[in-house]
């Protein structure tokens, strides 16, 4: 019923001919040199060779279409051996080398935590290490183009794909996406950044029309892309499924030609999302360079129809050359062109790579609440605890992961894996747990205690066991997936009621949340300790145990606001969900005419404009459950002697002191706004600082100028108005205990 809804058939073409990327002389260079080299290669190509490079196979549906070996994954483009152009094999790779629904039987990979957890580290080094690890595994598995770098801003807490991107703030998301991409590409393979732009909800993602004004768009979602592209230099940009202000994202001249290629001078290639192409002439002339997953489009727009359009002069020869040259530029500049992947897959060092996943999880788990019960804080778990009861969440065997194209089949396998009966993701997602048992890890970490687990299904037994324990830890889960939004921010399957009852029976109850993003917590007043573990990845069980027991001092900070109730965010529910559900019900009731029930395009008005997330809460005077930037630890930090300077740029310099008794990391944050502008404050700088007890460090945060500025379409460009600016040195987006002012001079910057 919806285009792009795909079932993966699996299988590798038999008797295939393997052509690993043939090397040519010369090394990768900067983009100008890369472009000159690419142009020289294009000049030697026939038209057929050029056309062959601007549309890509979707291997699960492309058996027999190439003589090369077809590895079942997201994409394949044949080599041109006579010119040294390598075979391209594309894999999804947001959280690890993906292997959705185990289309390559037995091919495991290291699974990082969700990207949202990585964002919660506020640490570009961790993002970079994750990307570098994934890239190395991908190369070993013979992939050389990775579909990574998800940087769509989270505009809605119910977005099914929040776990795959980096939260609601353009500076944080841009910095971390850039670092992740640079990490991937440090392996001399290519990475994308995606999904350009405004693929901000999953409901109706193939038809929805995202509406927003230009200045607001430049100051929010586009700023995240802009920063990430500057930092990470991705070889390719993947344009999105949805429409933007009335045009399909993959044929929007404004986005592709004006913003990306002209204003940002982007040298690489634009590839479409899988099933996101709707035309030949319009798309090619608007700046789309390559059609991905061609079997998923209505027709292969960039093959026969492109030849016809060239013949008629509707698309120029120059444009075709540019499309191909951009593809080659991306491959050359990233190093993929000159560094062939191994001829045969190599087994990566999984044990070492698991450490990368664990370090990320330990840095991004957020301690949301920790209050005293009968003496000290509930966490870390007291050494005196003798009987610890874990409840629910399959915590005996593993930790939850998010669904969709990013799904990694992790090392250790999937102890729980459930197919779906319905929903947009049913064809390519299963509810999957990684084999990392919190129960086993806690038993190891608490050798003196009796640690047991119950699934929580029998309320009477669970409450009796809870009363008999010294401490209860409830593992609460919310599975989210690409292609479906979450219709309700409450925890599913009556888990709220279970938590409330357990907490009433046992005051020493902690909750560990494994969720795609924010959830409501009607039981919060009754539960003294709550940990947001997101989807913690392949070593999540160990990371959770280390945080709960204090071996690791929690230091994650929320990259996204947790609303107090569903009415607080700009849209309480996914737009279009009611219509979609109605059509699905009608199609199910009338299977003979099911394809007649098609969801038509519908608008989503992004009324919050650039005031996404925490800015919306400030603008509307709303008090969230937990603000953006919030996170506790087992020590305390003080900020001393802040000095704010203005002039050409805003800085705040201060001392951070660890005033507690254990080592830990803190994330001081700088928020700014122009006095009298009425605009909410924006995150303009942050830094993660690790300090021993008593240690003092002087830190200087310099505001990102485009965050201080507003975008002025009449310039066009960024404009900082002269005047007084408020600067908050803060622990989270709602903290206004340390506010100073400084005067800035006027300044304009190019778009
Ligand atoms: C997703 C992309 C992904 C692509 C290839 C699409 O459905 O939106 O993020 O890279 O599929 O699997």
């Amino acid at each position: 019923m919806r285009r792009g809804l795909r079932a993966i058939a699996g299988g590798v073409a038999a008797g295939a001919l393997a052509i690993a990327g043939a090397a040519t002389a010369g090394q990768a260079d900067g983009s100008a040199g890369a472009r000159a080299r690419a142009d020289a290669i294009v000049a030697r190509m026939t038209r057929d060779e050029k056309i062959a490079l601007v549309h890509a196979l979707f291997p699960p549906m492309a058996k027999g279409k190439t003589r090369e070996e077809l590895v079942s994954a997201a994409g394949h483009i044949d080599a041109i051996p006579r010119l040294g152009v390598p075979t391209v094999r594309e894999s999804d790779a947001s959280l690890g080398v993906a292997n959705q629904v185990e289309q390559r039987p037995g091919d495991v990979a290291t699974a990082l935590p969700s990207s949202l957890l990585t964002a919660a580290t506020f640490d570009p080094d961790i993002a970079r290490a994750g990307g570098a690890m994934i890239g190395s595994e991908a190369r070993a598995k013979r992939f050389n183009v990775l579909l990574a770098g998800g940087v769509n801003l989270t505009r809605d807490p119910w977005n099914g794909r929040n776990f795959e991107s980096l939260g609601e703030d353009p500076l944080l998301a841009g910095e971390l996406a850039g670092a992740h991409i640079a990490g991937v590409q440090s392996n001399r393979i290519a990475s994308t950044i995606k999904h350009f732009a405004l693929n901000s909800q999953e409901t109706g993602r193939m038809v929805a029309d995202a509406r927003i004004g230009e200045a607001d768009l430049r100051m929010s979602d586009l700023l995240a892309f802009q920063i990430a592209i500057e930092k990470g230099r991705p070889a390719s940009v993947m344009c999105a499924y949805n429409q933007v202000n009335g045009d399909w994202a993959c044929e929007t001249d404004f986005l592709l030609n004006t913003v990306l290629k002209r204003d940002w001078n982007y040298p690489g290639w634009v590839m479409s999302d899988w099933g996101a192409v709707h035309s030949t002439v319009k798309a090619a002339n608007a700046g789309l360079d390559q059609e991905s997953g061609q079997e998923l489009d209505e027709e292969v727009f960039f093959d026969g129809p492109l030849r016809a359009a060239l013949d008629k002069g509707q698309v120029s020869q120059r444009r075709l050359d540019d499309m191909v040259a951009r593809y080659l530029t991306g491959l050359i500049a990233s190093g993929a062109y000159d560094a062939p992947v191994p001829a045969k897959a190599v087994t990566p060092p999984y044990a070492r790579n698991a450490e990368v996943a664990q370090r990320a999880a330990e840095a991004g788990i957020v301690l949301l609440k920790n209050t005293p019960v009968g003496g000290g804080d509930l966490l870390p778990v007291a050494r005196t605890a003798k009987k610890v009861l874990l409840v629910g969440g399959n915590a005996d065997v593993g930790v939850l992961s998010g669904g969709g194209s990013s799904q990694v089949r992790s090392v250790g396998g999937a102890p729980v894996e459930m197919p779906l009966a319905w929903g947009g993701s049913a064809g390519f997602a299963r509810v999957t747990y990684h084999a990392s048992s919190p129960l086993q890890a806690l038993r190891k970490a608490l050798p003196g205690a009796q640690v047991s687990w119950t699934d929580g299904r029998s309320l009477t037994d669970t409450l009796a066991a809870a009363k008999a324990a010294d401490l209860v830890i409830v593992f609460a889960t919310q599975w989210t997936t690409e292609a479906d939004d979450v219709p309700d921010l409450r925890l599913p399957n009556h888990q709220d009621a279970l938590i409330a009852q357990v907490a009433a029976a046992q005051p020493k109850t902690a909750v560990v949340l494994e969720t795609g993003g924010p959830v409501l917590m009607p039981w919060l007043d009754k539960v003294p300790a709550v940990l947001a573990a997101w989807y913690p990845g392949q070593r999540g069980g160990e990371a959770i145990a280390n945080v709960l027991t204090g071996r690791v001092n929690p230091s994650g900070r929320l990259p996204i606001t947790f609303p107090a109730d569903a009415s607080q965010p700009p849209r309480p529910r996914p737009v279009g969900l009611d219509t979609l559900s109605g059509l699905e019900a009608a199609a199910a009731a009338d299977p003979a005419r099911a394809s007649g029930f098609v969801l038509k395009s519908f608008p989503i008005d992004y009324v919050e404009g650039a005031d996404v997330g925490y800015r919306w809460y400030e603008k509307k005077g709303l008090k969230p459950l937990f603000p953006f930037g919030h996170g506790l630890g087992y020590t305390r930090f003080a900020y001393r002697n802040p000095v704010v300077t203005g002039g050409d740029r805003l800085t705040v310099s201060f001392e951070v002191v660890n005033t507690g008794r254990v080592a830990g990391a803190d994330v001081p944050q700088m928020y700014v706004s122009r006095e009298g502008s009425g605009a909410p404050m924006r995150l303009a700088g942050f830094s993660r600082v690790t300090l021993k007890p008593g240690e003092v460090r002087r830190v200087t945060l310099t505001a990102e100028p485009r965050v201080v500025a507003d975008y002025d379409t009449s310039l066009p460009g960024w404009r900082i108005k002269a005047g007084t600016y408020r600067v908050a040195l803060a622990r989270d987006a709602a903290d206004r205990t340390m506010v100073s002012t400084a005067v800035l001079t006027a300044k304009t910057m190019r778009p």
Side-chain angles (χ1 to χ4, degrees), residues 2 10 68 178 250 258 288 300 372 473 478 485 528 645 718:
R2 267 162 290 160
E68 293 190 9
C250 288
T258 306
L288 178 66
V300 185
I473 306 168
Q478 175 215 41
D485 290 317
T645 62
W718 300 92

Side-chain angles (χ1 to χ4, degrees), residues 64-152:
K65 291 193 184 170
T66 169
R67 291 173 55 214
E68 293 190 9
E69 180 188 357
L70 201 54
V71 175
S72 192
H76 177 101
I77 302 167
D78 280 352
I80 307 178
R82 81 172 182 94
L83 297 172
V85 179
T87 298
V88 156
R89 293 199 188 90
E90 299 170 327
S91 173
D92 277 293
S94 299
L95 314 174
V97 180
N99 186 2
Q100 311 92 351
V101 299
E102 220 186 353
Q103 56 181 308
R104 297 184 306 283
D107 187 15
V108 295
T110 303
L112 283 184
S114 63
S115 300
L116 201 54
L117 183 150
T118 296
T121 69
F122 278 64
D123 189 344
D125 290 343
I126 286 187
R128 189 187 160 95
M133 184 280 290
I134 296 174
S136 71
E137 291 197 357
R139 163 171 277 286
K141 293 170 188 295
R142 302 183 300 156
F143 293 109
N144 53 1
V145 173
L146 297 198
L147 316 176
V151 74
N152 295 106

